[in-house]
Structures are given as C-alpha cells and as structure tokens.
Amino acid sequence: MTRIRVEETRRGYDGNSPRERLAKETWRAASAVMLAGLLVGCAVGPDYARPEVALEPFHNAGAVASRPAVAEAPPLDQWWMGFHDPELTRIIERALQQNLDILASLERVAQARAVARAAGAKLLPALDANAQAMRERMSLENPLAIIANSAVPDFPRTSNLYDVGLGASWEIDLFGGLRRQEEAALAVAGAAEARHAGVRISVAAEAADTYFRIRGNQAQLKVIEARIANDADLLEMLKERRDHGFGTDREVAQGEALLAHTQGEEKLLRIDLAAQLNRIDVLMGVQSGTYATELSVPSAIPAIPQISAQPSDFLRRRPDVIAAERELAAANARIGMAIAEYYPAISLSGALGYESLTTGNLFKSATFQPLGILGLRWRLFDFGRVDAEVEQADAVTREALAGYRQTVLRAAEDVENACVALVQLEAYSQDVAKQIDALTQVYEDSRTAYLAGLIPLTDVLDADRQLLAVASELPRVQADAARAAVRLFRALGGGW
C-alpha cells in the first residue's frame, strides 16, 4: 500500500503549474506535521514474522535412541558431563573460560550491542553544549576593513568574540524509518549473540574431540608397546634358534624388520599425540605444553551416554539457525528503512546562547540570541533511486530467507550424519573386538606350529602384522565413536 500511494502522489504532479505544485507540497508538509502525533506509533514496511519450519523426525535418530548406553542422556547445555570423565570436564571448563576465540566473539557481541544502542538513541533528541572564544586581527586588504578604514581612520583591527550556548536537535520519526533501523540493529546484535554461542559450542566440541584423540592415541600406544615387547621376544627367540643351529640369518633379519616396523608405527603415533596435546593447550588459551603433564598419564576412553536427537531441540538451540533467522529479521526491517525514504523527514532544531565582544556583557539580555529551525527533507525527484533501494531490500530479504532455510537443511544433515557415524562406529568396534580374539588365537597357533617346524616363519610374521593392525584399530575406533557422539551433541546445538 505504501508504494502505491507514493506512485499516485507522483502522478498527481503531472500537468500542474509550479504554483500548484508548491501549494500541494506546502499542504502535504503541513499535514505531515499536524498528523505527527498520530503517526508516531506507525512504521512503514512489513512487520516481521518468524518463518515456520516443519521438520520430520530424524530417520537415523531411532537407532541412536535404541543403542545400549551405560549413562542417561545429559542436559544439552553441559553434554560433556554425561561422559563422567573429570579430566574432560576440567578441560572443557577451562576452554570455555580462557579460549581467545570466545573472548574475541564476546567483543563482537559488545560491538553489535553498541550499534543497536546508538540506533535507538537516534529516536531521542540530542542536546549539545558549546562555547568558544575568538580573537581576530583583520587584514587591511579585507573589503570590510577597507570600508571601515575609509570611514573611521585607525579603526581597531583586533576584535574579540565570546559565544556560549546550548543546542538541541530531534529528527521526528514520523514513518518509522529510525525505528526500523533500530529493529535491524537489534536483530544484528541477536545474530552476533548467536554466533558467540556457536563459538562456545565449537570450542567445547573441539576440546572434547581433541581429548578423545589423545586418549585414543594413548590406548593405541599401549597396544603397540605390548606388540614391541612381543616382537622383541620373538627376535630373541629367533637369534637363539640361529645360534643353536635351528634357525637362519634370514629369519633373524625378518624378525628385526618386524620389530623396526612396529617401532616406526609407535613414533608416528607419538607425533600425532604431541600435536593433539599442543592443540588442546591452545584451545584452553595457554601456550603449548602448559597442561601436557596432566594428560600424560593414559586413561580409558569413557563410555558414551544416551543421546536424544529431536528436531525441536535442534531448531531451538543451533546457533547458526538462530543467527540466520536474526539476519532475516534484520533484512526485513531494512525494507521499512528503504520505504521510509518515500516520505518526508522532519527535524526540529533549536539553540539558546549568548554572544558578545566582551566577557562582561556575555550574559546580558542584549546578547541573548535564541534560534529555532523546522527542517523538511523529501526525496521528490530522484529518478527511481528509492524504488531501486526498496527492490534491493526486498531481494536481500528473499536471499536471507533462502539462506535460513538452507541453514536448517544443512543443520539437519549434520545431525543425520552424526547419528549414522555414532551407531556404525559402535557396531564396528564390536566387530574389531571379535577380530582381535580370532587373530590372537591365529598368532598363538602360528607361533606354536613354527616352533614345531610345521609352518615357515613368514606365517608367524603375517599373523603378527595382522594382529597389530587390528589391535591398534580398536582404541582408534572407540575414540572415533566418542568423537562422533561429540559431533552429534554439537549438531544438536548443545553447549550453551
């Protein structure tokens, strides 16, 4: 309705004389002033309505809910408590208090809130105090000095001027452009707060992910160290057999190669372990190595608690979804800001002050000089610029709506992927445990058969390699399952 009304107003100018145009403009300006009290509560542009998003239950959530879990589902805001690991809890609490990314995002929230307060302040009058003292010596070549010198020879070229007063200004928000600007700024601040919550969630999840990688590496190292000891015993046995004429140098070399390979696996694993220890210190906002000794003692990977994946939780808590919705609200408010440019803007300004050549006469009635200004600004002929600004604001809002819907879909995708990963990794860990039992038996039987001369040494070495690969795979899969649970908690928006 707003845009139709403006177009009709513009069509009314066609064929009118300049005097008729001036009369119409004067009448409309006066009408706007008289109706100010009625229009203060109005704001042009569409009022924002949160878009409705209907999501079906996650099709992989049922498998997550039915999985056997030793602990109940923890509250989403402190999901890490569900693992019942004091070290994990201590690390995440430190990270949430000390992480520098969180501190930086908090300052971005403060900036957005300040912008919102400034936008709200524009709705209120502004009062300024000013004072100045000026001393001037006039040039004799100045036109005024030439006239004065001809009338009064040797006139005083030096003069003083003292000025003090108060000034006030107020832009009357007749059509709500400033209120829409404040609405947009508040929505942007809300988006900044949601992003801050997102940073907290990311830091907590990354700290937990790194912690589980550390525990997984430590568990793998324990397996590899046991295999190194076993391979060393095998090598000593091969050397004794060679020394007693039952073995060959070739078999000893094969045993040495197997031991060296296992020792190499250990070194590569220690590189990753050191990197994860350094990473977790940075996440806690300290120099790498600060808390390394606290995590140097291996600990078992904790059991994964029960998890409830509901779309309602996810839509209410996901910071990226909340931020996208707030950005949509801000874009909608900017439509009103653009539409308000169709209408006149009225401002009131005033000043009360004193001005005198001497300080002795500064505050006398003769030097009192009040000033009042009623200002009107109306973009009448701009060759469609306001139309273009409104169309741009409409397009930006439609883009924000599409972005919001896409954010919801991607967030749901994250939940589905995390559900699948958790269920499948837990099932895979059971398969790996069965493989370890079977390959352990194969290795023991191969070693016994080799000592009895029934099979060559290569069969024993192959069984040892297979056992090492699968045995070190189990703690890695268990750690990955815990990391998948962290991803699910994060995908659901847990952590704030």
Side-chain angles (χ1 to χ4, degrees):
M1 295 178 63
T2 300
R3 296 180 64 181
I4 294 174
R5 180 180 178 184
V6 172
E7 291 169 1
E8 291 174 350
T9 300
R10 290 178 176 175
R11 286 196 296 268
Y13 290 142
D14 296 341
N16 291 331
S17 66
R19 180 175 296 179
E20 290 173 337
R21 294 178 182 176
L22 179 60
K24 287 186 178 182
E25 296 297 341
T26 305
W27 169 250
R28 287 174 181 144
S31 299
V33 174
M34 288 186 292
L35 294 175
L38 297 176
L39 295 174
V40 165
C42 301
V44 296
D47 292 330
Y48 177 70
R50 186 190 302 269
E52 295 293 333
V53 178
L55 288 177
E56 298 295 329
F58 299 119
H59 63 277
N60 288 302
V64 174
S66 62
R67 48 180 284 276
V70 298
E72 296 181 355
L76 275 176
D77 57 341
Q78 292 184 316
W79 52 262
W80 51 88
M81 303 295 292
F83 289 94
H84 299 288
D85 188 328
E87 188 65 36
L88 173 63
T89 300
R90 182 162 51 250
I91 287 172
I92 292 181
E93 289 177 350
R94 279 177 182 165
L96 293 178
Q97 293 173 2
Q98 302 171 186
N99 182 268
L100 297 181
D101 288 333
I102 292 179
L103 296 178
S105 70
L106 189 60
E107 296 306 320
R108 288 192 290 271
V109 172
Q111 295 172 39
R113 288 174 178 171
V115 172
R117 288 196 303 271
K122 291 182 179 179
L123 293 166
L124 304 175
L127 180 65
D128 301 322
N130 58 81
Q132 65 177 358
M134 182 178 68
R135 183 178 180 85
E136 179 183 17
R137 182 174 177 82
M138 188 177 296
S139 169
L140 290 176
E141 298 298 325
N142 185 293
L144 181 60
I146 294 174
I147 296 173
N149 191 35
S150 63
V152 182
D154 299 328
F155 80 101
R157 296 165 55 194
T158 301
S159 63
N160 299 323
L161 181 64
Y162 302 93
D163 187 358
V164 63
L166 294 174
S169 62
W170 183 25
E171 181 178 347
I172 302 174
D173 191 28
L174 293 179
F175 301 99
L178 294 179
R179 269 165 289 160
R180 292 300 190 191
Q181 183 178 1
E182 180 188 22
E183 181 183 337
L186 288 172
V188 170
E193 292 171 358
R195 292 192 187 93
H196 170 65
V199 173
R200 288 179 57 87
I201 290 175
S202 296
V203 169
E206 190 171 355
D209 183 86
T210 307
Y211 175 77
F212 288 133
R213 287 188 65 173
I214 291 172
R215 292 311 188 200
N217 285 342
Q218 290 173 336
Q220 285 182 276
L221 281 172
K222 185 176 180 180
V223 172
I224 290 178
E225 287 169 355
R227 297 311 305 169
I228 288 175
N230 185 78
D231 292 345
D233 291 341
L234 177 62
L235 178 59
E236 289 300 319
M237 181 193 69
L238 294 175
K239 289 180 178 180
E240 289 180 3
R241 286 174 57 84
R242 180 196 60 186
D243 295 341
H244 289 83
F246 298 105
T248 64
D249 291 338
R250 180 174 177 273
E251 292 178 337
V252 172
Q254 289 176 320
E256 291 174 342
L258 176 64
L259 178 60
H261 173 76
T262 309
Q263 291 172 336
E265 293 289 330
E266 178 194 25
K267 292 178 176 61
L268 293 177
L269 199 56
R270 290 193 181 280
I271 292 174
D272 187 67
L273 175 60
Q276 300 309 316
L277 289 170
N278 293 335
R279 178 59 185 157
I280 207 166
D281 279 339
V282 173
L283 287 170
M284 290 187 285
V286 296
Q287 183 178 350
S288 298
T290 302
Y291 296 117
T293 55
E294 294 184 8
L295 292 171
S296 60
V297 179
S299 178
I301 300 171
I304 301 172
Q306 189 59 268
I307 305 175
S308 174
Q310 299 296 331
S312 58
D313 293 335
F314 136 86
L315 285 176
R316 179 173 52 88
R317 301 194 59 87
R318 282 273 303 211
D320 55 345
V321 173
I322 297 172
E325 185 273 329
R326 289 289 80 202
E327 289 169 354
L328 174 61
N332 184 83
R334 294 188 185 104
I335 296 177
M337 292 170 56
I339 293 176
E341 291 297 313
Y342 281 123
Y343 297 95
I346 297 176
S347 61
L348 299 175
S349 301
L352 300 175
Y354 296 86
E355 188 176 71
S356 173
L357 297 176
T358 63
T359 56
N361 296 326
L362 184 58
F363 294 104
K364 293 184 178 181
S365 59
T367 62
F368 179 62
Q369 52 178 19
L371 173 67
I373 301 174
L374 173 62
L376 172 65
R377 181 184 62 85
W378 199 347
R379 295 173 63 174
L380 296 177
F381 305 105
D382 61 1
F383 300 98
R385 293 178 186 174
V386 176
D387 292 339
E389 291 169 2
V390 173
E391 291 174 3
Q392 180 186 15
D394 282 335
V396 170
T397 302
R398 292 193 297 271
E399 178 188 3
L401 177 59
Y404 170 71
R405 291 173 175 169
Q406 183 72 352
T407 300
V408 172
L409 293 180
R410 287 176 176 170
E413 179 187 15
D414 290 345
V415 175
E416 296 284 8
N417 290 340
C419 287
V420 172
L422 174 59
V423 172
Q424 296 301 324
L425 283 170
E426 286 188 324
Y428 180 44
S429 67
Q430 297 175 3
D431 295 337
V432 173
K434 294 178 181 178
Q435 291 183 58
I436 291 175
D437 292 339
L439 289 174
T440 300
Q441 185 63 44
V442 169
Y443 174 76
E444 296 297 335
D445 292 345
S446 298
R447 183 166 177 167
T448 301
Y450 167 73
L451 294 176
L454 300 176
I455 60 175
L457 177 63
T458 54
D459 291 352
V460 180
L461 300 180
D462 288 341
D464 185 87
R465 291 191 189 95
Q466 294 179 27
L467 179 58
L468 172 62
V470 176
S472 60
E473 178 79 355
L474 180 60
R476 186 191 66 78
V477 174
Q478 291 173 337
D480 286 347
R483 294 170 63 195
V486 172
R487 288 197 299 273
L488 181 54
F489 281 124
R490 178 179 181 176
L492 293 170
W496 68 285

